[in-house]
Amino acid sequence: MSKILILNGPNLNLLGRREPEIYGSANLGDLENLLKEEFPTVEFEFFQTNSEQALIEKLHQAFEDGSDVVLNPAAFTHYSYALRDACAVLTSSGSKLIEVHISNPHSREEFRHNSVISGVATGVIAGFGLRSYVLAVSQLLAN
Ligand code: DQA
């Protein structure tokens, strides 16, 4: 299998310091180490950005490369039709895209209950902290 792209959206650069009561005390470096430890033979590319444009361009790159993606769209989850369309480009081409969330958005504010991404994702995993990413990668490898 080609490499797996782990994409994190806005404000996730502050993971570990951002609302730790919701997102925990581990940071993005800990996420990278966790995934490399759990899946030593997998080639990962890790990318975080606060920019919608940069996320879309990474999804276009995954489309060109035929890569599978684990995406935490963060707040873009709830309103970015442009990001949804980029995800659809990828999944309609046969690549897999798993939408992940650290928290369970359905147990939080009402605006977080809707995802514009889920309808074009291969699957969705939410609410298991950083283990959400581990579950997503396991599923990509299972298929
Ligand atoms: C999040 C949930 C979103 O509602 C929020 O905007 C985030 C993080 C999560 O991982 O739980 O930034 O995607």
Side-chain angles (χ1 to χ4, degrees):
M1 111 170 319
S2 53
K3 78 179 168 206
I4 296 178
L5 193 53
I6 309 290
L7 288 184
N8 281 295
N11 302 305
L12 291 169
N13 54 311
L14 296 179
L15 204 58
R17 292 188 293 146
R18 170 196 183 199
E19 298 176 275
E21 67 286 2
I22 296 173
Y23 299 111
S25 55
N27 62 31
L28 274 189
D30 297 324
L31 172 64
E32 293 189 17
N33 291 335
L34 175 66
L35 291 177
K36 286 179 192 163
E37 269 167 36
E38 294 266 350
F39 307 103
T41 61
V42 172
E43 189 191 343
F44 289 109
E45 180 180 343
F46 297 95
F47 183 76
Q48 185 281 327
T49 179
N50 296 319
S51 149
E52 187 178 26
Q53 176 184 347
L55 264 189
I56 290 167
E57 286 170 357
K58 270 287 167 190
L59 289 165
H60 292 176
Q61 183 198 313
F63 166 67
E64 300 292 355
D65 296 347
S67 303
D68 292 332
V69 173
V70 175
L71 170 66
N72 185 341
F76 291 143
T77 306
H78 312 300
Y79 67 90
S80 175
Y81 297 120
L83 193 63
R84 176 197 166 98
D85 284 351
C87 292
V89 167
L90 193 67
T91 51
S92 68
S93 75
S95 287
K96 296 191 178 68
L97 180 141
I98 315 279
E99 175 187 344
V100 298
H101 300 282
I102 296 164
S103 67
N104 175 1
H106 299 283
S107 67
R108 301 179 60 196
E109 302 96 316
E110 198 163 349
F111 77 89
R112 297 187 201 275
H113 297 182
N114 185 50
S115 167
V116 301
I117 307 296
S118 299
V120 295
T122 310
V124 183
I125 298 170
F128 298 103
L130 295 188
R131 301 291 306 174
S132 293
Y133 296 78
V134 173
L135 293 168
V137 172
S138 304
Q139 193 53 36
L140 288 177
L141 297 177
N143 286 301

